[in-house]
Amino acid sequence: MKNAIIILVGPSGAGKSTFLDQALKDYSILYDVITCTTRAQRKGESEGNPYFFLSREKFLELIEKDYFIEWAEVHGNLYGVPEEQLHKAWAEGKAVIMDIDIQGAQTLRSKYPQSLCIFITPPSLDALRDRVIRREGQVPKDLELRMENAKKEMAMADQFDFQVVNADFQQCYREIKKIIDDSLGLS
Ligand code: 5GP
């Protein structure tokens, strides 16, 4: 497919970034879009991994310059997709893959109707809560806000092209692979 876009969407903590990392290892045709954020770096993160970390001021300046094809406020921080990365990937004949929230997926889909959105859902809200705490190594200050947002997001899952439940990583990844293979004509 020309100018392909694969979006892993779903609540924060559902496992999107783990699937994205695995898919990047398995498919050389995929181009990892590194998005920008104003949130603070977590332990183990660095510039470009998994985000470009910007001050709010810089981010707002880039919005003014139309640098982002899409941007959104998620849990009080700004996140945005640099448009230039999509064109770079496509010029190299690659398919872009990215991990963004629902607002972002909806915006991208309206701008690029070929976008294929895979909604990753946690097996339950309790499982999501455990995963978020484990990932952060502590109870994040905004945990309840995230859970509220997750509930709303999960109610919108059927608006997307595919829904997969991340109860078992291997099983869920097999489903994601099949969707990627079919959409890129690799099967
Ligand atoms: P986290 O800060 O936990 O890495 O990510 C929080 C949420 O922001 C996740 O759901 C992630 O998918 C989403 N996100 C990351 N980058 C972008 C982006 O560029 N745009 C939008 N709309 N959401 C993003």
Side-chain angles (χ1 to χ4, degrees), residues 149-167:
N149 287 344
K151 237 189 266 176
K152 287 184 205 146
E153 289 172 354
M154 282 156 69
M156 295 163 81
D158 62 2
Q159 294 181 12
F160 296 95
D161 303 300
F162 297 94
Q163 294 114 43
V164 292
V165 180
N166 182 14

Side-chain angles (χ1 to χ4, degrees), residues 8 10-12 16 35-37 39 42 45 50-51 70-72 74-75 79-81 99-101 103-105 135-136 146:
L8 301 184
S12 172
K16 290 172 292 182
T35 64
C36 300
T37 184
R39 84 147 162 75
R42 294 185 189 134
E45 294 182 339
Y51 296 107
E70 166 289 321
W71 67 271
V74 186
H75 314 316
Y79 293 81
V81 179
D99 147 12
I100 56 178
D101 88 320
Q103 310 168 72
R135 185 177 68 177
E136 306 233 350
R146 289 203 210 183

Side-chain angles (χ1 to χ4, degrees), residues 11-50:
S12 172
K16 290 172 292 182
S17 60
T18 318
F19 290 115
L20 188 140
D21 289 345
Q22 189 59 46
L24 289 169
K25 284 188 193 136
D26 290 345
Y27 295 88
S28 55
I29 194 173
L30 292 180
Y31 183 103
D32 180 20
V33 173
I34 302 189
T35 64
C36 300
T37 184
T38 59
R39 84 147 162 75
Q41 276 181 20
R42 294 185 189 134
K43 228 170 93 191
E45 294 182 339
S46 55
E47 185 59 7
N49 167 40

